[in-house]
Amino acid sequence: MTSPLTPRFPYAAGGDGARRLVYGADYNPEQWSREVWEEDVRLMREAGVNIVSLGIFSWALLQPTRDTWDFGWLDEVMDLLHRGGIGVDLATATASPPPWLTTAHPEILPVTAAGETVWPGARQHWRPTSPVFRTHALRLVRALATRYAAHPALVAWHVNNELGCHNVYDYSDDAARAFRTWLRHRYATLSDLNHAWGTAFWSQRYSDWDQILPPRQAASHPNPTQQLDFKRFSSDALKEHVRAEREVLRELTPGVPVTTNFMVMGSTKGMNYPDWAGEIDFVSNDHYVQPGPQDRDELSFSANLTSGIAGHRPWFLMEHSTGAVNWQPVNLPKQPGELARDSLLHVAHGADAVCFFQWRQSAAGAEKYHSAMVPHAGADSDLFRSVVELGRTLEALAPVAGAEREPARVAILFDWESWWTSEHDSHPTSRLDYRQEALDWYTALHRLGVRADIVPAHRTGLAAYDVVIAPVLHVVGQTLAKELTQYAEGGGHLVTTYFSGVVDENDHVWLGGYPGALSELLGIRIEEFGPLLDGVTVDLDNATTGSLWTDRITVSGRDVDVLARYRTGTYAARPAVTRRTTGRGSAAYVSTRLGAAGLTELLPELLAPSGVTSELPEGARGSVELVVRRDAVSRYLFLVNRSEEPVPLPAVTGDVLIGPATASGETLVLPPREVVVLRQPASSS
Ligand code: GAL
């Protein structure tokens, strides 16, 4: 007996009803001849592939003109895959409108903030709010769902593809109209809108709804609340598209789960995914490694956040890469072992599917230098052998399928609206990087060997965490301020940073001193921000160094300890890090950017009152990442060696599901870039 599976996850891929991890890729057979299709299915079977995402960019082939359809080739591919025991995550194919449509209806093309048309020639050249596009897209969805409703290969629906990747912000007249409708819904009266947008400033007062526009390119900084609302609206407009396609699919194929692939990674911030998650039957994500000093911390962070968005239930890794991509300035291949290690890090964080872009590397088109499961070199290649080996590894991990991610004791709050607003123009600094600050805290926790969950803000259940870290929690309304206060008074330990609590949901500053909504809870008052110029740093008296930001802090409450003071800079001798004891918990404030190194120094002191310490042996901290999944009977410990050195793991026990075998009594040594998964009885936590 295991814990209940996510009810509508496509475990059925494979056709025999067995529960296993799902393995596969985007499959684009339309780029190849029929003989290749036969070989594809043979190689997929060899690799253990049990699902493919099909038809993502097939609109122009499926509907060659407005009134002609050609499903013959897709019928053949679906049948062939089914005979091979491979399930299909069938795309609705609406991601890239065909030339006949954009020629007949150029009014579906997006428009930039400067008023330029985004022309066809690549993909995703459609306005999220275009009624004409919507009509044509839904016609296609209906045709596909009608045709394949009863096809035995169909295990899931894939709505569009990476919605918003290229078209999240559209400033067209369609967008203007839809924005006004959205605003009427939000504000009801113009006077409420004028108040929320602070239109007394710069003579922006509106006397008619029709005067309102998206924040198109203007003479100077556009109104900040207009910008924030446009971000909210643009995310909602795409969410609305998901709903529209999903409704057609649910009507025609009620038993087939529906997903759309998110892009929780790097700087992709336009789509407020925690707000979308309730619209689909299971969460999917695409992730690509962006090389840099924190690249695998970032992979782990994104996978962890995806798990948070999925409520810790299993999710679907829809795309990642077997090797190089084609869209970075320099596209690096993966090192031996990284293909499996990166995949398993996603599984550790709750992915029950490991899929790649794409199955067979294209010979033509913009992505011909993007890696795939079958490279240009063919199946006789190290890469394909690694793909086959990963298939075997995932088979051995079948018992993990359906297990949830075990919550950690530390949470990092991640808030889309704070991300959007803290990085707006016309601020104390244009250098603030919201996600980087959150990532630095995560890296520091990893270096200390402390597990953490990345949790979307505004989710309930904070009380379950001993420590909640809320970096740059810029937007704090009254409700959130109250929740955080109750959390700390009830025994939790809150840690927050510079530029937190400063504005409300309308992006209006809380008056009376920063950090506004959190001032009382933290027992501090800030009269002035002291951002730092590039290259300028300040020393703290705890031997750490700050950059980017400082605050002029006065301790205003009782029971506040100053944990560190500035030693240099404008605010020398003033508090830099504070902690107030309140009720049964505490609330700490870090007023500068310490970076991963400084936070690694500071964190043990911040964690001390909670009693949270590392679960890893000392020599493994910072090299090995520990993530735990669990079901009713077992805990699965994923130990992922993210370093280039072998790491001994004394006193780590359990049955080895995958990884180096160790004779009993011997210390397990984890080779570089390898992963071991151990099974323990659930009672052993
Ligand atoms: C994703 C996309 C795929 C492919 C891939 C390349 O953005 O969904 O179609 O373009 O990136 O990395």
PDB file of all heavy atoms in Angstrom, residues 26 28 56-57 123 158 161-162 165-166 261 263 265 286 288 319-321 324-327 357-358 367 370-371, ligand 1:
ATOM      1  N   ASP A  26       9.454  15.083 -26.344  1.00  0.00           N
ATOM      2  CA  ASP A  26       8.680  15.653 -27.445  1.00  0.00           C
ATOM      3  C   ASP A  26       9.043  14.848 -28.685  1.00  0.00           C
ATOM      4  O   ASP A  26      10.224  14.592 -28.935  1.00  0.00           O
ATOM      5  CB  ASP A  26       9.093  17.111 -27.721  1.00  0.00           C
ATOM      6  CG  ASP A  26       8.556  18.085 -26.690  1.00  0.00           C
ATOM      7  OD1 ASP A  26       8.046  17.637 -25.653  1.00  0.00           O
ATOM      8  OD2 ASP A  26       8.680  19.295 -26.932  1.00  0.00           O
ATOM      9  N   ASN A  28       8.574  14.707 -32.817  1.00  0.00           N
ATOM     10  CA  ASN A  28       8.176  15.492 -33.998  1.00  0.00           C
ATOM     11  C   ASN A  28       8.353  14.675 -35.269  1.00  0.00           C
ATOM     12  O   ASN A  28       9.220  14.973 -36.103  1.00  0.00           O
ATOM     13  CB  ASN A  28       9.005  16.780 -34.048  1.00  0.00           C
ATOM     14  CG  ASN A  28       8.760  17.653 -32.818  1.00  0.00           C
ATOM     15  OD1 ASN A  28       7.629  18.030 -32.545  1.00  0.00           O
ATOM     16  ND2 ASN A  28       9.807  17.935 -32.058  1.00  0.00           N
ATOM     17  N   ILE A  56       3.048  18.996 -31.171  1.00  0.00           N
ATOM     18  CA  ILE A  56       3.116  20.331 -30.550  1.00  0.00           C
ATOM     19  C   ILE A  56       3.132  21.444 -31.602  1.00  0.00           C
ATOM     20  O   ILE A  56       2.483  22.464 -31.448  1.00  0.00           O
ATOM     21  CB  ILE A  56       4.339  20.417 -29.609  1.00  0.00           C
ATOM     22  CG1 ILE A  56       4.139  19.467 -28.424  1.00  0.00           C
ATOM     23  CG2 ILE A  56       4.540  21.842 -29.105  1.00  0.00           C
ATOM     24  CD1 ILE A  56       5.292  19.383 -27.454  1.00  0.00           C
ATOM     25  N   PHE A  57       3.881  21.225 -32.680  1.00  0.00           N
ATOM     26  CA  PHE A  57       3.971  22.271 -33.714  1.00  0.00           C
ATOM     27  C   PHE A  57       3.405  21.774 -35.054  1.00  0.00           C
ATOM     28  O   PHE A  57       3.984  22.005 -36.109  1.00  0.00           O
ATOM     29  CB  PHE A  57       5.420  22.739 -33.855  1.00  0.00           C
ATOM     30  CG  PHE A  57       5.928  23.382 -32.596  1.00  0.00           C
ATOM     31  CD1 PHE A  57       6.850  22.730 -31.777  1.00  0.00           C
ATOM     32  CD2 PHE A  57       5.454  24.624 -32.207  1.00  0.00           C
ATOM     33  CE1 PHE A  57       7.289  23.319 -30.592  1.00  0.00           C
ATOM     34  CE2 PHE A  57       5.890  25.221 -31.027  1.00  0.00           C
ATOM     35  CZ  PHE A  57       6.809  24.559 -30.217  1.00  0.00           C
ATOM     36  N   ARG A 123       7.599  31.240 -33.954  1.00  0.00           N
ATOM     37  CA  ARG A 123       6.445  30.533 -33.386  1.00  0.00           C
ATOM     38  C   ARG A 123       5.805  31.429 -32.334  1.00  0.00           C
ATOM     39  O   ARG A 123       6.371  32.457 -31.964  1.00  0.00           O
ATOM     40  CB  ARG A 123       6.892  29.203 -32.758  1.00  0.00           C
ATOM     41  CG  ARG A 123       7.864  29.404 -31.616  1.00  0.00           C
ATOM     42  CD  ARG A 123       8.249  28.103 -30.944  1.00  0.00           C
ATOM     43  NE  ARG A 123       9.273  28.359 -29.928  1.00  0.00           N
ATOM     44  CZ  ARG A 123       9.890  27.416 -29.249  1.00  0.00           C
ATOM     45  NH1 ARG A 123       9.610  26.145 -29.470  1.00  0.00           N
ATOM     46  NH2 ARG A 123      10.788  27.729 -28.340  1.00  0.00           N
ATOM     47  N   HIS A 158      -1.954  18.000 -23.824  1.00  0.00           N
ATOM     48  CA  HIS A 158      -0.891  18.980 -23.634  1.00  0.00           C
ATOM     49  C   HIS A 158      -1.389  20.288 -24.251  1.00  0.00           C
ATOM     50  O   HIS A 158      -1.408  20.430 -25.474  1.00  0.00           O
ATOM     51  CB  HIS A 158       0.327  18.432 -24.392  1.00  0.00           C
ATOM     52  CG  HIS A 158       1.571  19.207 -24.337  1.00  0.00           C
ATOM     53  ND1 HIS A 158       2.682  18.767 -23.652  1.00  0.00           N
ATOM     54  CD2 HIS A 158       1.952  20.367 -24.919  1.00  0.00           C
ATOM     55  CE1 HIS A 158       3.675  19.614 -23.816  1.00  0.00           C
ATOM     56  NE2 HIS A 158       3.265  20.602 -24.582  1.00  0.00           N
ATOM     57  N   ASN A 161       1.755  25.118 -25.781  1.00  0.00           N
ATOM     58  CA  ASN A 161       3.113  24.748 -25.374  1.00  0.00           C
ATOM     59  C   ASN A 161       3.795  25.959 -24.755  1.00  0.00           C
ATOM     60  O   ASN A 161       3.775  27.053 -25.334  1.00  0.00           O
ATOM     61  CB  ASN A 161       3.947  24.287 -26.578  1.00  0.00           C
ATOM     62  CG  ASN A 161       5.278  23.701 -26.149  1.00  0.00           C
ATOM     63  OD1 ASN A 161       5.306  22.687 -25.444  1.00  0.00           O
ATOM     64  ND2 ASN A 161       6.366  24.342 -26.517  1.00  0.00           N
ATOM     65  N   GLU A 162       4.346  25.773 -23.587  1.00  0.00           N
ATOM     66  CA  GLU A 162       5.078  26.854 -22.905  1.00  0.00           C
ATOM     67  C   GLU A 162       4.386  28.196 -23.124  1.00  0.00           C
ATOM     68  O   GLU A 162       4.991  29.150 -23.648  1.00  0.00           O
ATOM     69  CB  GLU A 162       6.523  26.918 -23.379  1.00  0.00           C
ATOM     70  CG  GLU A 162       7.371  25.794 -22.834  1.00  0.00           C
ATOM     71  CD  GLU A 162       8.868  26.007 -23.033  1.00  0.00           C
ATOM     72  OE1 GLU A 162       9.255  26.870 -23.842  1.00  0.00           O
ATOM     73  OE2 GLU A 162       9.643  25.304 -22.366  1.00  0.00           O
ATOM     74  N   CYS A 165       5.921  31.964 -23.469  1.00  0.00           N
ATOM     75  CA  CYS A 165       7.381  31.960 -23.659  1.00  0.00           C
ATOM     76  C   CYS A 165       7.806  33.173 -24.499  1.00  0.00           C
ATOM     77  O   CYS A 165       8.771  33.854 -24.180  1.00  0.00           O
ATOM     78  CB  CYS A 165       7.803  30.658 -24.333  1.00  0.00           C
ATOM     79  SG  CYS A 165       9.580  30.513 -24.538  1.00  0.00           S
ATOM     80  N   HIS A 166       7.054  33.447 -25.562  1.00  0.00           N
ATOM     81  CA  HIS A 166       7.436  34.590 -26.408  1.00  0.00           C
ATOM     82  C   HIS A 166       6.349  35.669 -26.479  1.00  0.00           C
ATOM     83  O   HIS A 166       6.601  36.725 -27.032  1.00  0.00           O
ATOM     84  CB  HIS A 166       7.716  34.124 -27.847  1.00  0.00           C
ATOM     85  CG  HIS A 166       8.597  32.912 -27.946  1.00  0.00           C
ATOM     86  ND1 HIS A 166       9.910  32.901 -27.540  1.00  0.00           N
ATOM     87  CD2 HIS A 166       8.349  31.658 -28.411  1.00  0.00           C
ATOM     88  CE1 HIS A 166      10.430  31.692 -27.749  1.00  0.00           C
ATOM     89  NE2 HIS A 166       9.499  30.917 -28.267  1.00  0.00           N
ATOM     90  N   ASN A 261       2.683  22.801 -20.130  1.00  0.00           N
ATOM     91  CA  ASN A 261       4.034  22.821 -19.550  1.00  0.00           C
ATOM     92  C   ASN A 261       4.451  24.214 -19.090  1.00  0.00           C
ATOM     93  O   ASN A 261       4.518  25.142 -19.872  1.00  0.00           O
ATOM     94  CB  ASN A 261       5.071  22.209 -20.508  1.00  0.00           C
ATOM     95  CG  ASN A 261       4.931  22.661 -21.951  1.00  0.00           C
ATOM     96  OD1 ASN A 261       3.917  23.194 -22.367  1.00  0.00           O
ATOM     97  ND2 ASN A 261       5.983  22.454 -22.719  1.00  0.00           N
ATOM     98  N   MET A 263       7.211  26.902 -17.211  1.00  0.00           N
ATOM     99  CA  MET A 263       8.658  27.156 -17.356  1.00  0.00           C
ATOM    100  C   MET A 263       9.178  27.734 -16.049  1.00  0.00           C
ATOM    101  O   MET A 263       9.510  28.923 -15.980  1.00  0.00           O
ATOM    102  CB  MET A 263       8.912  28.147 -18.492  1.00  0.00           C
ATOM    103  CG  MET A 263       8.537  27.639 -19.861  1.00  0.00           C
ATOM    104  SD  MET A 263       8.592  29.003 -21.051  1.00  0.00           S
ATOM    105  CE  MET A 263       7.094  29.853 -20.613  1.00  0.00           C
ATOM    106  N   MET A 265      11.856  28.323 -14.242  1.00  0.00           N
ATOM    107  CA  MET A 265      13.318  28.323 -14.383  1.00  0.00           C
ATOM    108  C   MET A 265      13.801  29.751 -14.595  1.00  0.00           C
ATOM    109  O   MET A 265      13.072  30.601 -15.112  1.00  0.00           O
ATOM    110  CB  MET A 265      13.763  27.462 -15.559  1.00  0.00           C
ATOM    111  CG  MET A 265      13.262  27.889 -16.902  1.00  0.00           C
ATOM    112  SD  MET A 265      14.081  26.933 -18.191  1.00  0.00           S
ATOM    113  CE  MET A 265      13.042  27.288 -19.587  1.00  0.00           C
ATOM    114  N   ASP A 286       9.130  22.584 -17.600  1.00  0.00           N
ATOM    115  CA  ASP A 286      10.286  22.480 -18.492  1.00  0.00           C
ATOM    116  C   ASP A 286      11.452  23.160 -17.790  1.00  0.00           C
ATOM    117  O   ASP A 286      11.272  24.240 -17.206  1.00  0.00           O
ATOM    118  CB  ASP A 286      10.029  23.214 -19.814  1.00  0.00           C
ATOM    119  CG  ASP A 286       8.897  22.585 -20.628  1.00  0.00           C
ATOM    120  OD1 ASP A 286       8.400  21.516 -20.220  1.00  0.00           O
ATOM    121  OD2 ASP A 286       8.535  23.165 -21.659  1.00  0.00           O
ATOM    122  N   TYR A 288      15.759  24.061 -18.226  1.00  0.00           N
ATOM    123  CA  TYR A 288      17.051  23.986 -18.919  1.00  0.00           C
ATOM    124  C   TYR A 288      18.124  24.608 -18.038  1.00  0.00           C
ATOM    125  O   TYR A 288      17.924  25.680 -17.464  1.00  0.00           O
ATOM    126  CB  TYR A 288      16.962  24.705 -20.272  1.00  0.00           C
ATOM    127  CG  TYR A 288      16.073  23.942 -21.221  1.00  0.00           C
ATOM    128  CD1 TYR A 288      14.720  24.223 -21.332  1.00  0.00           C
ATOM    129  CD2 TYR A 288      16.584  22.874 -21.945  1.00  0.00           C
ATOM    130  CE1 TYR A 288      13.899  23.472 -22.160  1.00  0.00           C
ATOM    131  CE2 TYR A 288      15.769  22.123 -22.778  1.00  0.00           C
ATOM    132  CZ  TYR A 288      14.432  22.425 -22.882  1.00  0.00           C
ATOM    133  OH  TYR A 288      13.630  21.668 -23.700  1.00  0.00           O
ATOM    134  N   GLU A 319      10.074  18.759 -20.215  1.00  0.00           N
ATOM    135  CA  GLU A 319      11.242  18.979 -21.079  1.00  0.00           C
ATOM    136  C   GLU A 319      12.462  19.289 -20.235  1.00  0.00           C
ATOM    137  O   GLU A 319      12.372  20.059 -19.278  1.00  0.00           O
ATOM    138  CB  GLU A 319      11.040  20.219 -21.959  1.00  0.00           C
ATOM    139  CG  GLU A 319      10.080  20.122 -23.083  1.00  0.00           C
ATOM    140  CD  GLU A 319      10.029  21.443 -23.870  1.00  0.00           C
ATOM    141  OE1 GLU A 319      11.026  22.184 -23.902  1.00  0.00           O
ATOM    142  OE2 GLU A 319       8.974  21.729 -24.437  1.00  0.00           O
ATOM    143  N   HIS A 320      13.566  18.712 -20.597  1.00  0.00           N
ATOM    144  CA  HIS A 320      14.883  19.231 -20.260  1.00  0.00           C
ATOM    145  C   HIS A 320      15.796  18.725 -21.360  1.00  0.00           C
ATOM    146  O   HIS A 320      15.306  18.244 -22.383  1.00  0.00           O
ATOM    147  CB  HIS A 320      15.320  18.916 -18.828  1.00  0.00           C
ATOM    148  CG  HIS A 320      15.601  17.477 -18.499  1.00  0.00           C
ATOM    149  ND1 HIS A 320      16.510  17.108 -17.530  1.00  0.00           N
ATOM    150  CD2 HIS A 320      15.097  16.329 -18.976  1.00  0.00           C
ATOM    151  CE1 HIS A 320      16.546  15.790 -17.438  1.00  0.00           C
ATOM    152  NE2 HIS A 320      15.697  15.300 -18.303  1.00  0.00           N
ATOM    153  N   SER A 321      17.108  18.857 -21.213  1.00  0.00           N
ATOM    154  CA  SER A 321      17.937  18.520 -22.378  1.00  0.00           C
ATOM    155  C   SER A 321      18.894  17.382 -22.048  1.00  0.00           C
ATOM    156  O   SER A 321      19.341  17.237 -20.905  1.00  0.00           O
ATOM    157  CB  SER A 321      18.717  19.741 -22.857  1.00  0.00           C
ATOM    158  OG  SER A 321      19.739  20.039 -21.947  1.00  0.00           O
ATOM    159  N   ALA A 324      23.528  19.896 -25.028  1.00  0.00           N
ATOM    160  CA  ALA A 324      23.506  21.340 -25.289  1.00  0.00           C
ATOM    161  C   ALA A 324      22.134  21.805 -25.763  1.00  0.00           C
ATOM    162  O   ALA A 324      21.399  21.056 -26.408  1.00  0.00           O
ATOM    163  CB  ALA A 324      24.539  21.669 -26.354  1.00  0.00           C
ATOM    164  N   VAL A 325      21.803  23.061 -25.469  1.00  0.00           N
ATOM    165  CA  VAL A 325      20.654  23.697 -26.109  1.00  0.00           C
ATOM    166  C   VAL A 325      21.188  24.547 -27.270  1.00  0.00           C
ATOM    167  O   VAL A 325      22.377  24.470 -27.607  1.00  0.00           O
ATOM    168  CB  VAL A 325      19.843  24.547 -25.086  1.00  0.00           C
ATOM    169  CG1 VAL A 325      19.316  23.664 -23.987  1.00  0.00           C
ATOM    170  CG2 VAL A 325      20.677  25.693 -24.531  1.00  0.00           C
ATOM    171  N   ASN A 326      20.316  25.328 -27.888  1.00  0.00           N
ATOM    172  CA  ASN A 326      20.755  26.125 -29.047  1.00  0.00           C
ATOM    173  C   ASN A 326      20.543  27.612 -28.833  1.00  0.00           C
ATOM    174  O   ASN A 326      20.779  28.398 -29.725  1.00  0.00           O
ATOM    175  CB  ASN A 326      19.952  25.715 -30.287  1.00  0.00           C
ATOM    176  CG  ASN A 326      18.486  26.056 -30.103  1.00  0.00           C
ATOM    177  OD1 ASN A 326      17.877  25.683 -29.100  1.00  0.00           O
ATOM    178  ND2 ASN A 326      17.919  26.790 -31.027  1.00  0.00           N
ATOM    179  N   TRP A 327      20.058  27.998 -27.632  1.00  0.00           N
ATOM    180  CA  TRP A 327      19.600  29.389 -27.478  1.00  0.00           C
ATOM    181  C   TRP A 327      20.395  30.181 -26.440  1.00  0.00           C
ATOM    182  O   TRP A 327      20.022  31.309 -26.128  1.00  0.00           O
ATOM    183  CB  TRP A 327      18.109  29.415 -27.152  1.00  0.00           C
ATOM    184  CG  TRP A 327      17.659  28.384 -26.147  1.00  0.00           C
ATOM    185  CD1 TRP A 327      17.111  27.171 -26.419  1.00  0.00           C
ATOM    186  CD2 TRP A 327      17.735  28.463 -24.718  1.00  0.00           C
ATOM    187  NE1 TRP A 327      16.831  26.482 -25.255  1.00  0.00           N
ATOM    188  CE2 TRP A 327      17.197  27.264 -24.195  1.00  0.00           C
ATOM    189  CE3 TRP A 327      18.187  29.417 -23.819  1.00  0.00           C
ATOM    190  CZ2 TRP A 327      17.113  26.998 -22.825  1.00  0.00           C
ATOM    191  CZ3 TRP A 327      18.115  29.166 -22.461  1.00  0.00           C
ATOM    192  CH2 TRP A 327      17.578  27.967 -21.980  1.00  0.00           C
ATOM    193  N   PHE A 357      13.281  17.549 -24.428  1.00  0.00           N
ATOM    194  CA  PHE A 357      13.133  18.094 -25.766  1.00  0.00           C
ATOM    195  C   PHE A 357      14.386  17.656 -26.482  1.00  0.00           C
ATOM    196  O   PHE A 357      15.466  18.072 -26.108  1.00  0.00           O
ATOM    197  CB  PHE A 357      13.013  19.617 -25.795  1.00  0.00           C
ATOM    198  CG  PHE A 357      12.953  20.080 -27.220  1.00  0.00           C
ATOM    199  CD1 PHE A 357      11.768  20.065 -27.919  1.00  0.00           C
ATOM    200  CD2 PHE A 357      14.117  20.451 -27.888  1.00  0.00           C
ATOM    201  CE1 PHE A 357      11.733  20.423 -29.255  1.00  0.00           C
ATOM    202  CE2 PHE A 357      14.080  20.800 -29.231  1.00  0.00           C
ATOM    203  CZ  PHE A 357      12.887  20.781 -29.911  1.00  0.00           C
ATOM    204  N   GLN A 358      14.335  16.885 -27.477  1.00  0.00           N
ATOM    205  CA  GLN A 358      13.258  16.171 -28.087  1.00  0.00           C
ATOM    206  C   GLN A 358      13.742  14.748 -28.340  1.00  0.00           C
ATOM    207  O   GLN A 358      14.849  14.395 -27.958  1.00  0.00           O
ATOM    208  CB  GLN A 358      12.842  16.858 -29.403  1.00  0.00           C
ATOM    209  CG  GLN A 358      13.984  16.949 -30.422  1.00  0.00           C
ATOM    210  CD  GLN A 358      13.540  17.571 -31.743  1.00  0.00           C
ATOM    211  OE1 GLN A 358      12.389  17.445 -32.160  1.00  0.00           O
ATOM    212  NE2 GLN A 358      14.439  18.237 -32.430  1.00  0.00           N
ATOM    213  N   GLU A 367      16.290  24.634 -34.431  1.00  0.00           N
ATOM    214  CA  GLU A 367      16.768  23.876 -33.272  1.00  0.00           C
ATOM    215  C   GLU A 367      17.640  22.689 -33.677  1.00  0.00           C
ATOM    216  O   GLU A 367      17.777  21.725 -32.930  1.00  0.00           O
ATOM    217  CB  GLU A 367      15.561  23.451 -32.431  1.00  0.00           C
ATOM    218  CG  GLU A 367      14.924  24.680 -31.808  1.00  0.00           C
ATOM    219  CD  GLU A 367      13.748  24.406 -30.906  1.00  0.00           C
ATOM    220  OE1 GLU A 367      13.009  23.444 -31.178  1.00  0.00           O
ATOM    221  OE2 GLU A 367      13.559  25.159 -29.946  1.00  0.00           O
ATOM    222  N   HIS A 370      20.233  21.734 -31.210  1.00  0.00           N
ATOM    223  CA  HIS A 370      19.763  21.411 -29.851  1.00  0.00           C
ATOM    224  C   HIS A 370      19.849  19.898 -29.678  1.00  0.00           C
ATOM    225  O   HIS A 370      19.411  19.138 -30.539  1.00  0.00           O
ATOM    226  CB  HIS A 370      18.321  21.882 -29.709  1.00  0.00           C
ATOM    227  CG  HIS A 370      17.805  21.894 -28.310  1.00  0.00           C
ATOM    228  ND1 HIS A 370      17.643  20.750 -27.559  1.00  0.00           N
ATOM    229  CD2 HIS A 370      17.416  22.919 -27.517  1.00  0.00           C
ATOM    230  CE1 HIS A 370      17.166  21.077 -26.372  1.00  0.00           C
ATOM    231  NE2 HIS A 370      17.021  22.388 -26.316  1.00  0.00           N
ATOM    232  N   SER A 371      20.381  19.460 -28.558  1.00  0.00           N
ATOM    233  CA  SER A 371      20.535  18.024 -28.313  1.00  0.00           C
ATOM    234  C   SER A 371      19.181  17.321 -28.264  1.00  0.00           C
ATOM    235  O   SER A 371      18.131  17.961 -28.126  1.00  0.00           O
ATOM    236  CB  SER A 371      21.262  17.810 -26.992  1.00  0.00           C
ATOM    237  OG  SER A 371      20.513  18.419 -25.960  1.00  0.00           O
TER     238      SER A 371
HETATM  239  C1  GAL B   1      11.250  24.962 -25.127  1.00  0.00           C
HETATM  240  C2  GAL B   1      10.197  24.562 -26.124  1.00  0.00           C
HETATM  241  C3  GAL B   1      10.650  23.471 -27.077  1.00  0.00           C
HETATM  242  C4  GAL B   1      12.052  23.736 -27.526  1.00  0.00           C
HETATM  243  C5  GAL B   1      12.953  23.822 -26.330  1.00  0.00           C
HETATM  244  C6  GAL B   1      14.401  24.061 -26.673  1.00  0.00           C
HETATM  245  O1  GAL B   1      11.131  26.314 -24.887  1.00  0.00           O
HETATM  246  O2  GAL B   1       9.015  24.162 -25.501  1.00  0.00           O
HETATM  247  O3  GAL B   1       9.755  23.432 -28.158  1.00  0.00           O
HETATM  248  O4  GAL B   1      12.061  24.930 -28.240  1.00  0.00           O
HETATM  249  O5  GAL B   1      12.547  24.902 -25.523  1.00  0.00           O
HETATM  250  O6  GAL B   1      15.199  24.209 -25.523  1.00  0.00           O
END
